[in-house]
Amino acid sequence: MNWAALDPGLLAWPLAAAALVLATHLPLGREVLARGIIFLDLAVAQVAGLGILVAASLGWPAAGWRMQAAALAAALLAGAGMRLAERRWPAIQEPLIGSVFVLAASLGSLLAAGDPHGSEQLRDILVGQVLWVSPTQVGTAALAMLAAMAVWWRWRRQGWAFYLAFAICVTQSVQLLGVYLVFASLIFPALAVRGLAARAALPRGYAIGVLGCVAGLAASALFDLPAGGVMVVTLACAALLLARRRA
């Protein structure tokens, strides 16, 4: 156990990234549950990851604007497709979402197979590298997510606004936390507070998210374990511990 690893200088920006994602994911997660499209985030996140892999295969730098544009364009395309499915094929929307996820994951694995660094890139997309996020990444993501949530709030009665905000927020959060942790932060707190009014659900949901992320980062640093995987587990534990108890 390495107590010296609990360095505020090392953990401050990962915590800031997790807090930023939680701030947007709880309301988005509640909307996902209300619409009954639980795996939407996995599909959109995987498609955004596919955009990143395509950009990497073209030799575009990871920190460049073209990489960001590729990921966002792929996620927006997925979001538009999900909106179309909601309007035209509502009865089979969830199977279509699952199909998009599997197809994007398979295409990503094929791209990664032809790249000497592909397996590492694929792992980073899935599990994330939250311990190494930079202030620039967090600041850029914050601006993008704030704009996306403002659009959703302004046009919240329009179905397209939710999918637009969702695609933008997921694109940013995948690059900060990875696909698995994005799903966990979106669904676990929202699931734990389902059925509660927003005034009661939001504080409890944020408490679950903060507890899970702080505990996960601390455990990762102390025991030298991958942060993304540990945070998924601790988020699940926090959700079980603080879940709303039905009468």
Side-chain angles (χ1 to χ4, degrees):
M1 187 178 294
N2 182 14
W3 291 100
L6 294 179
D7 181 1
L10 174 65
L11 300 181
W13 286 110
L15 281 173
L20 172 63
V21 170
L22 288 169
T24 59
H25 278 202
L26 182 56
L28 287 172
R30 283 170 58 81
E31 184 70 14
V32 163
L33 291 179
R35 290 172 178 258
I37 44 177
I38 310 303
F39 298 107
L40 175 66
D41 65 310
L42 279 178
V44 173
Q46 194 67 56
V47 173
L50 178 62
I52 292 171
L53 289 172
V54 169
S57 71
L58 295 174
W60 294 353
W65 67 267
R66 289 182 297 177
M67 178 78 77
Q68 299 295 321
L72 180 58
L76 289 173
L77 182 62
M82 297 303 100
R83 170 59 175 160
L84 177 64
E86 181 184 58
R87 296 182 64 184
R88 299 195 60 178
W89 306 290
I92 58 170
Q93 186 181 12
E94 190 74 348
L96 289 174
I97 290 172
S99 299
V100 169
F101 167 72
V102 170
L103 181 60
S106 299
L107 289 172
S109 66
L110 291 175
L111 278 175
D115 187 331
H117 304 290
S119 60
E120 181 180 347
Q121 291 171 339
L122 189 59
R123 183 197 63 205
D124 288 348
I125 289 170
L126 293 175
V127 182
Q129 288 288 334
V130 65
L131 287 177
W132 307 114
V133 296
S134 68
T136 301
Q137 284 179 291
V138 175
T140 301
L143 290 175
M145 290 180 171
L146 179 63
M149 296 301 284
V151 168
W152 183 30
W153 177 256
R154 172 62 179 83
W155 288 282
R156 58 190 177 278
R157 296 185 183 278
Q158 305 295 322
W160 61 265
F162 165 71
Y163 286 96
L164 176 65
F166 193 92
I168 293 172
C169 289
V170 166
T171 299
Q172 297 299 320
S173 58
V174 161
Q175 295 176 78
L176 294 174
L177 306 184
V179 173
Y180 296 156
L181 189 49
V182 166
F183 179 84
S185 63
L186 190 82
I187 297 300
F188 292 174
L191 193 59
V193 299
R194 70 194 187 284
L196 292 176
R199 176 177 292 184
L202 293 178
R204 183 178 292 193
Y206 287 131
I208 289 169
V210 170
L211 175 61
C213 288
V214 170
L217 280 171
S220 170
L222 285 172
F223 298 102
D224 193 24
L225 294 170
V230 176
M231 290 169 73
V232 169
V233 173
T234 53
L235 268 173
C237 293
L240 288 172
L241 180 65
L242 298 179
R244 178 205 180 195
R245 308 300 179 191
R246 294 183 180 273

